[in-house]
Amino acid sequence: IQKLCDRVASSTLLDDRRDAVRALKSLSKKYRLEVGIQAMEHLIHVLQTDRSDSEIIGYALDTLYNVISNDLEEEEQEENSAKQVDDLGSQFTEIFIKQPENVTLLLTLVEEFDFHVRWPGVKLLTSLLKQQGPQVQQIILVSPMGVSRLMDLLADSREVIRNDGVLLLQQLTKSNAAIQKIVAFENAFERLLDIITEEGNSDGGIVVEDCLLLLQNLLKNNNSNQNFFKEGSYIQRMKPWFEVGDDNCGWSAQKVTNLHLMLQLVRVLVSPTNPPGATSSCQKAMFHCGLLQQLCTILMATGVPADILTETINTVSEVIRGCQTNQDYFASVNAPSNPPRPAIVVLLMSMVNERQPFVLRCAVLYCFQCFLYKNQKGQGEIVSTLLPSTIDATGNSVSAGQLLCGGLFSTDSLSNWCAAVALAHALQENATLKEQLLRVQLATSIGNPPVSLLQQCTNILSQGSKVQTRVGLLMLLCTWLSNCSIAVTHFLHNPANVPFLTGQIAENLGEEEQLVQGLCALLLGISIYYNDNSLENYRKEKLKQLIEKRIGRENFIEKLGFISKHELYSRAAQKPQPSFSSPDHMMFDHEFTKLVKELEGVISKAIYKSSEEDKKEEEVKKTLEQHDNIVTHYKKVIREQDQELEELKQRINTLTSQNEQLQATVTQQVSQIQQHKDQYNLLKVQLGKDTQHHNAHGDTFQMNGIQTEEVSKLKEELEEWKNKHELLQGQLKEKDSVIEKLNSSQLEMGTTEQSSQTSKFGGLEHNNELQKELEMLRSQMQLQSAEISKLQMENQKLQVMNTTADPMLGDSGAAAAASSELQGRLEQEIKELKSEVKALSEEKESLKQHLDSSSSTVAILQDEKSKLQREVAESKKEQDDLLVLLADQDQKISALKIKLKDLGVPVEDEDDTESGDQGDEDEDGDEEEQD
């Protein structure tokens, strides 16, 4: 080995170095320690310097793999030396990664496409990660594009490299959330699911198993990746995994393993330990894509292996847990039997059947618990099957309630425990059902009167059955009586119950019985804490005196503490799923441990309280309830007022929108008026051109001369036109007076509007715009009157022309023609003037109507505003009165709380948030008053 190392270090020819490295490779398996110590440095140097020759690089990588990897040695070594082997591989790995550049160099070599370089590089990197995972992960994480380079292995067309790439990524992603996120965002989910599909889903080989293990690494306890998996619609791609045929016999071991991992992957996404929001969204996605339906098909299929069936039940349990839609669907699933039976009933049959495997019975119990978790509808359906009115008298079909009762009173202690816990879950946090279950009557034997379910439970307790049975029944009774005074009264009504409990607690028994003693103490404590003192012989004070005499307070508290100190209690408190190594360890339920935590402290305090303190506490509770009712009433009133305010705000918004529409209408009309103005200006320009033409014609007329008769006719016609013109002028003056009246009324309206502009409604500025438009129209009318005066001047000029034309009479024929032409033109001009005056008068009328309509709308809006202001002021006044009353009530409540605290009563600060809400409303009220 030393000679070969010298040849590798000193030979100048590449062939010599290659042969030496090949020889070291052949020796490295047998003489692993020697080759590792002497050759590692030279081999790393070869990797750095001989990059151009893939053959020597491949030999060097293989040699390093043989030195570092424990896989080959583990097959040959015996168990006693396995630890030494692990230490050897770990030491060589530590030497290799001491220089981080070596790992970076290895990442570069893995990028090479040459099979003889890439494959041994992948194996070596995998071995390094197995030996010193966290350190190698950190080096890869900080190296540029380190993880991305390794992701390319999944796309390699050579299956050997791709499959070993999956194994490499398995080691790389172990317990490293940062690398898991990078791998996921490098499209790992898509590639892995493609590989699983190509390999045949659950029918695939070990490659599918490796891909599923990698997917578990990426998703377990990684909320970011779970969300990315759901958002990427990858849950839908899991559905084909669970397609099973009618004939499920003869499954291979690999298929069972694959399906087991697939079910575990589903459970990773809906685990109760995940954030509730993430779990809920995954549960909904599984229902909508049909995955839950597919799992229920496996659940009801025949020939499915027992461990797959058990895992499927556990998976369905977590998919429906706390999700109402999924729970409702599960309740509707029927088993393919004749007649069809609900799946829940079929599963409960397995749970209370002592011949079924223990793990299967645990799974069914978990499924039933998950079905009832936060599902009041399901709880009601289960309890209703026990009530007298709903029991099937024909006996053709067995119900869930009947199965639970049968299990509760069977000879198998495990069935007793499972049925008791299942029934306790049907009553969890549901006071109504606790009261209804008191109505259940059981026929014990022919000829004897029926007894209540509660009485039968206590009867079995007193008969001294197995510890497991008694623990189950005591857990059921504690759940049933907690927070239900009526059930406590029924329990205490049986005169044998209290002596039995005190007798059990007072005895000094062995370790096994200590658990029963603790539960009996808890049940007696619940009977005191939730006692409404309706039974004279079993009032709170009398029960406390009984404990003091028969047991002793300190002894009672000590026995009560046995529960939480028990090892099996601690195990059950860790997770909701009941997982027990053996049936004997099946003692506590997860939900019951929560109840014990909640009640242990309050019962201890209740035992030490005096009767006076109890009375005071009850009085304070009653007072608090009264005050709570008052506060609730006022809250309701405030809510109603808030609704009214919202309605008023909506009305204000509608009025504002109407106002905006009116403003838009006014703007449109203003634009129309502007168009009319433009048309008028055009007409005026045309009229000016025509008057110039007439002046020129008059000059020629004077030059030619006109006969006296024609002139006299013209004078008469001019007189007529003058009269008509005066009439038109009078009409114009009338229109001017109308416009002045409109202006004055508009000014008055403007003054009234200015007084209302101080309110918060505002927004009537369009009236000012109308005033401006009217002023402009007035100026235009003045321009028109100026035009008319110009026409009068022209008439005077014509008269002067006529007087001067008398001595200059000429040719009669020419004069006649000129006069007729002049007459025609004058008639045409007068017609145009008439039509123009008529158009102006119509325009004035339309303006007048528009002003009238706008003034009416303004008046309506002002009335609406004043009404709204009055309503808002009244509501503010009512709210202020209510807030004052609330403040008084708060002061009283706080004083009572102080009294309670002085008396040593624990007071929950639930009303703090309400008082905070009221404070916020007071601040809002102050802000409104300031506004």
Side-chain angles (χ1 to χ4, degrees):
I1 293 170
Q2 183 61 48
K3 285 180 182 178
L4 290 170
C5 290
D6 291 341
R7 281 175 63 189
V8 171
S10 59
S11 292
T12 54
L13 291 175
L14 180 61
D15 291 340
D16 290 343
R17 292 200 301 278
R18 189 188 302 123
D19 293 340
V21 174
R22 188 191 295 119
L24 284 170
K25 176 191 168 186
S26 61
L27 291 168
S28 60
K29 291 182 182 178
K30 191 172 183 181
Y31 302 103
R32 179 182 173 192
L33 180 62
E34 293 80 0
V35 172
I37 291 170
Q38 297 179 48
M40 183 175 283
E41 188 180 343
H42 302 297
L43 293 169
I44 293 169
H45 185 68
V46 167
L47 295 178
Q48 292 169 344
T49 56
D50 291 327
R51 290 279 300 281
S52 58
D53 186 65
S54 59
E55 197 173 351
I56 193 172
I57 294 292
Y59 292 146
L61 290 169
D62 280 331
T63 309
L64 286 168
Y65 172 72
N66 291 340
V67 167
I68 288 171
S69 173
N70 292 325
D71 297 342
L72 298 170
E73 291 287 335
E74 281 172 356
E75 296 172 7
E76 301 167 9
Q77 295 286 340
E78 296 179 2
E79 289 182 4
N80 56 2
S81 61
K83 190 175 179 183
Q84 295 176 0
V85 172
D86 287 342
D87 288 345
L88 197 60
S90 181
Q91 286 169 10
F92 282 134
T93 303
E94 202 171 334
I95 293 166
F96 185 84
I97 66 171
K98 197 170 185 180
Q99 299 294 330
E101 298 82 13
N102 295 340
V103 179
T104 310
L105 174 65
L106 194 53
L107 288 172
T108 311
L109 292 171
V110 167
E111 279 188 291
E112 296 286 339
F113 186 73
D114 192 313
F115 181 81
H116 296 292
V117 176
R118 196 171 210 184
W119 189 39
V122 169
K123 291 196 295 180
L124 176 57
L125 195 52
T126 307
S127 186
L128 291 172
L129 283 161
K130 281 182 181 177
Q131 304 294 342
Q132 296 285 344
Q135 293 89 325
V136 181
Q137 283 174 341
Q138 198 57 36
I139 295 168
I140 293 172
L141 194 59
V142 297
S143 68
M145 298 292 289
V147 179
S148 302
R149 289 189 237 178
L150 298 177
M151 284 301 298
D152 293 338
L153 296 171
L154 295 181
D156 200 302
S157 57
R158 295 159 296 194
E159 286 192 8
V160 179
I161 293 178
R162 184 200 68 185
N163 297 345
D164 279 352
V166 173
L167 294 173
L168 169 60
L169 289 170
Q170 268 185 38
Q171 298 297 327
L172 182 66
T173 53
K174 272 187 180 176
S175 307
N176 193 310
I179 292 177
Q180 288 166 6
K181 287 179 185 177
I182 296 169
V183 170
F185 283 99
E186 288 282 349
N187 209 21
F189 294 138
E190 185 79 35
R191 293 184 188 181
L192 291 170
L193 291 170
D194 287 342
I195 293 170
I196 291 170
T197 307
E198 288 167 15
E199 295 290 326
N201 293 329
S202 60
D203 293 319
I206 197 166
V207 178
V208 172
E209 180 184 343
D210 292 335
C211 289
L212 290 167
L213 287 168
L214 177 53
L215 282 170
Q216 275 195 25
N217 280 359
L218 294 174
L219 291 171
K220 199 166 188 178
N221 300 324
N222 193 318
N223 300 330
S224 171
N225 282 2
Q226 287 173 11
N227 189 51
F228 181 61
F229 192 83
K230 180 185 70 71
E231 295 295 335
S233 301
Y234 296 119
I235 289 175
Q236 287 82 330
R237 294 188 60 179
M238 297 168 78
K239 184 189 172 187
W241 296 354
F242 304 104
E243 291 175 356
V244 294
D246 297 329
D247 183 18
N248 296 308
C249 300
W251 283 13
S252 66
Q254 187 61 57
K255 178 166 183 174
V256 171
T257 304
N258 289 348
L259 209 52
H260 204 274
L261 288 169
M262 288 169 175
L263 290 166
Q264 284 181 351
L265 197 62
V266 175
R267 290 185 67 185
V268 164
L269 294 169
V270 292
S271 171
T273 57
N274 293 345
T279 299
S280 175
S281 58
C282 288
Q283 286 172 331
K284 288 173 185 172
M286 287 174 186
F287 174 75
H288 291 304
C289 76
L291 180 58
L292 174 60
Q293 293 84 329
Q294 203 72 48
L295 292 170
C296 289
T297 305
I298 297 176
L299 204 65
M300 296 292 113
T302 54
V304 178
D307 53 344
I308 292 296
L309 183 60
T310 302
E311 191 63 24
T312 305
I313 294 170
N314 286 328
T315 306
V316 169
S317 307
E318 293 183 353
V319 173
I320 66 172
R321 188 177 190 268
C323 180
Q324 189 66 54
T325 310
N326 295 4
Q327 288 166 337
D328 291 344
Y329 169 76
F330 184 68
S332 68
V333 174
N334 286 322
S337 59
N338 192 17
R341 283 177 174 164
I344 295 170
V345 172
V346 175
L347 290 172
L348 287 176
M349 284 178 174
S350 301
M351 187 183 78
V352 297
N353 184 351
E354 57 186 296
R355 291 193 297 273
Q356 292 292 345
F358 173 62
V359 287
L360 180 65
R361 296 173 77 180
C362 288
V364 173
L365 176 61
Y366 184 45
C367 186
F368 192 71
Q369 290 174 352
C370 290
F371 169 66
L372 297 178
Y373 183 69
K374 293 185 178 178
N375 181 11
Q376 293 198 346
K377 180 183 173 186
Q379 289 176 322
E381 288 169 357
I382 297 297
V383 172
S384 67
T385 59
L386 283 165
L387 299 177
S389 58
T390 56
I391 291 174
D392 186 3
T394 60
N396 291 333
S397 62
V398 65
S399 68
Q402 289 168 326
L403 284 169
L404 290 175
C405 277
L408 200 61
F409 308 123
S410 76
T411 54
D412 177 32
S413 62
L414 192 59
S415 296
N416 301 154
W417 190 92
C418 290
V421 169
L423 201 53
H425 276 261
L427 304 175
Q428 202 81 40
E429 297 178 1
N430 199 325
T432 309
L433 294 182
K434 289 176 183 179
E435 293 175 14
Q436 286 189 6
L437 201 63
L438 295 169
R439 293 166 46 203
V440 176
Q441 299 289 319
L442 301 173
T444 52
S445 58
I446 299 169
N448 292 331
V451 297
S452 68
L453 177 62
L454 186 69
Q455 183 60 47
Q456 185 64 13
C457 289
T458 54
N459 290 345
I460 293 172
L461 267 179
S462 59
Q463 288 168 9
S465 50
K466 289 183 182 178
V467 171
Q468 194 173 39
T469 302
R470 282 182 287 160
V471 167
L473 288 170
L474 284 166
M475 285 198 296
L476 171 60
L477 290 171
C478 288
T479 307
W480 193 348
L481 267 59
S482 65
N483 209 17
C484 184
S485 300
I486 298 171
V488 170
T489 305
H490 275 70
F491 179 76
L492 296 174
H493 198 268
N494 183 353
N497 287 341
V498 174
F500 167 73
L501 291 178
T502 52
Q504 285 284 314
I505 300 164
E507 286 182 22
N508 289 320
L509 303 169
E511 287 186 10
E512 288 185 359
E513 294 292 330
Q514 282 184 351
L515 194 53
V516 176
Q517 285 184 315
L519 290 168
C520 287
L522 181 66
L523 184 58
L524 188 55
I526 289 170
S527 302
I528 293 170
Y529 187 71
Y530 291 106
N531 193 342
D532 59 359
N533 293 329
S534 56
L535 294 174
E536 186 59 36
N537 293 334
Y538 295 106
R539 295 173 66 83
K540 281 185 181 182
E541 189 56 36
K542 289 190 176 180
L543 287 173
K544 287 181 194 175
Q545 289 171 2
L546 189 65
I547 289 172
E548 181 66 34
K549 288 177 184 176
R550 297 272 181 91
I551 305 165
R553 289 181 185 176
E554 289 77 10
N555 193 22
F556 179 86
I557 299 299
E558 184 186 352
K559 297 289 174 71
L560 184 63
F562 283 163
I563 303 173
S564 55
K565 289 174 185 174
H566 203 280
E567 182 187 356
L568 297 175
Y569 173 90
S570 304
R571 284 187 198 170
Q574 288 171 3
K575 58 179 181 177
Q577 184 183 358
S579 56
F580 306 99
S581 55
S582 70
D584 297 336
H585 291 161
M586 209 169 189
M587 287 293 175
F588 283 108
D589 169 56
H590 178 75
E591 290 297 324
F592 181 73
T593 61
K594 292 182 182 176
L595 183 69
V596 172
K597 277 182 191 173
E598 182 186 334
L599 293 177
E600 190 175 7
V602 294
I603 288 172
S604 300
K605 288 180 182 176
I607 295 297
Y608 282 105
K609 278 180 189 171
S610 64
S611 58
E612 292 178 0
E613 287 175 340
D614 281 338
K615 286 178 184 177
K616 286 179 182 178
E617 186 181 340
E618 285 176 10
E619 288 175 4
V620 170
K621 277 183 181 177
K622 287 178 183 177
T623 314
L624 281 172
E625 284 176 6
Q626 290 174 359
H627 284 296
D628 285 342
N629 292 334
I630 294 167
V631 169
T632 307
H633 170 69
Y634 281 124
K635 279 184 179 177
K636 187 179 177 183
V637 172
I638 289 169
R639 282 194 202 99
E640 290 173 357
Q641 288 190 344
D642 285 340
Q643 288 177 357
E644 289 176 6
L645 281 171
E646 283 297 323
E647 289 173 3
L648 288 173
K649 284 178 183 176
Q650 288 176 0
R651 284 181 64 189
I652 290 167
N653 290 333
T654 52
L655 288 171
T656 308
S657 62
Q658 288 175 4
N659 190 13
E660 288 173 356
Q661 288 176 1
L662 288 172
Q663 285 180 348
T665 308
V666 170
T667 309
Q668 189 179 356
Q669 290 177 351
V670 167
S671 64
Q672 289 175 358
I673 291 168
Q674 185 63 38
Q675 288 176 1
H676 289 312
K677 283 185 196 174
D678 295 340
Q679 290 174 2
Y680 174 74
N681 289 332
L682 283 170
L683 288 170
K684 192 167 72 173
V685 171
Q686 289 176 0
L687 188 64
K689 288 180 180 177
D690 289 340
T691 51
Q692 288 175 3
H693 180 71
H694 284 308
N695 289 336
H697 192 274
D699 293 340
T700 56
F701 177 73
Q702 279 183 354
M703 294 289 291
N704 294 328
I706 301 171
Q707 290 183 358
T708 54
E709 292 176 3
E710 296 296 329
V711 170
S712 62
K713 284 179 183 178
L714 284 172
K715 282 183 179 179
E716 289 172 2
E717 286 174 3
L718 279 170
E719 285 295 328
E720 288 176 8
W721 292 119
K722 279 173 72 177
N723 293 332
K724 288 177 182 178
H725 198 273
E726 286 173 359
L727 284 171
L728 288 171
Q729 218 169 2
Q731 288 177 1
L732 282 171
K733 285 179 180 177
E734 288 175 6
K735 299 297 179 187
D736 283 337
S737 64
V738 168
I739 287 169
E740 286 176 2
K741 287 177 182 177
L742 284 171
N743 283 332
S744 61
S745 65
Q746 190 62 30
L747 287 169
E748 289 173 3
M749 285 170 61
T751 55
T752 56
E753 287 164 10
Q754 285 174 0
S755 64
S756 66
Q757 282 176 355
T758 55
S759 68
K760 63 181 177 183
F761 298 101
L764 296 175
E765 295 174 1
H766 65 284
N767 292 323
N768 295 331
E769 293 177 3
L770 284 174
Q771 287 178 7
K772 289 178 182 177
E773 293 297 330
L774 284 168
E775 288 295 326
M776 290 171 72
L777 285 173
R778 283 185 67 192
S779 63
Q780 287 173 8
M781 293 305 298
Q782 288 172 0
L783 288 170
Q784 287 179 1
S785 61
E787 290 295 327
I788 291 166
S789 63
K790 282 183 183 178
L791 288 172
Q792 288 175 353
M793 292 292 291
E794 287 173 5
N795 285 330
Q796 289 174 4
K797 284 181 182 178
L798 283 171
Q799 287 175 1
V800 172
M801 284 161 57
N802 287 331
T803 53
T804 54
D806 285 339
M808 297 173 65
L809 294 172
D811 188 13
S812 62
S819 65
S820 62
E821 186 180 352
L822 180 61
Q823 188 176 352
R825 288 189 177 183
L826 285 170
E827 285 175 356
Q828 186 178 356
E829 286 175 3
I830 287 163
K831 282 179 183 177
E832 287 174 357
L833 282 170
K834 280 182 179 180
S835 62
E836 193 173 354
V837 168
K838 187 177 180 183
L840 286 169
S841 63
E842 287 173 358
E843 191 171 297
K844 287 177 184 175
E845 283 297 319
S846 67
L847 280 171
K848 185 179 177 184
Q849 290 173 2
H850 173 62
L851 283 170
D852 291 337
S853 65
S854 63
S855 61
S856 65
T857 55
V858 166
I860 291 165
L861 284 170
Q862 286 174 347
D863 292 339
E864 289 290 331
K865 284 177 194 174
S866 59
K867 285 178 184 177
L868 287 171
Q869 283 175 339
R870 286 196 297 274
E871 288 173 357
V872 169
E874 288 171 1
S875 64
K876 274 177 68 177
K877 187 177 178 183
E878 289 175 2
Q879 194 168 0
D880 290 338
D881 294 340
L882 287 172
L883 289 170
V884 170
L885 285 169
L886 278 173
D888 293 339
Q889 294 298 332
D890 280 339
Q891 288 176 358
K892 290 177 182 177
I893 290 168
S894 60
L896 287 166
K897 281 183 181 177
I898 291 165
K899 287 181 182 178
L900 275 172
K901 286 178 181 177
D902 292 339
L903 292 167
V905 179
V907 180
E908 294 180 358
D909 295 329
E910 293 175 359
D911 294 336
D912 291 347
T913 55
E914 297 174 356
S915 64
D917 292 340
Q918 291 173 355
D920 293 339
E921 290 168 359
D922 291 341
E923 289 173 9
D924 293 340
D926 296 337
E927 287 173 6
E928 287 175 4
E929 286 175 4
Q930 288 173 4
D931 292 337

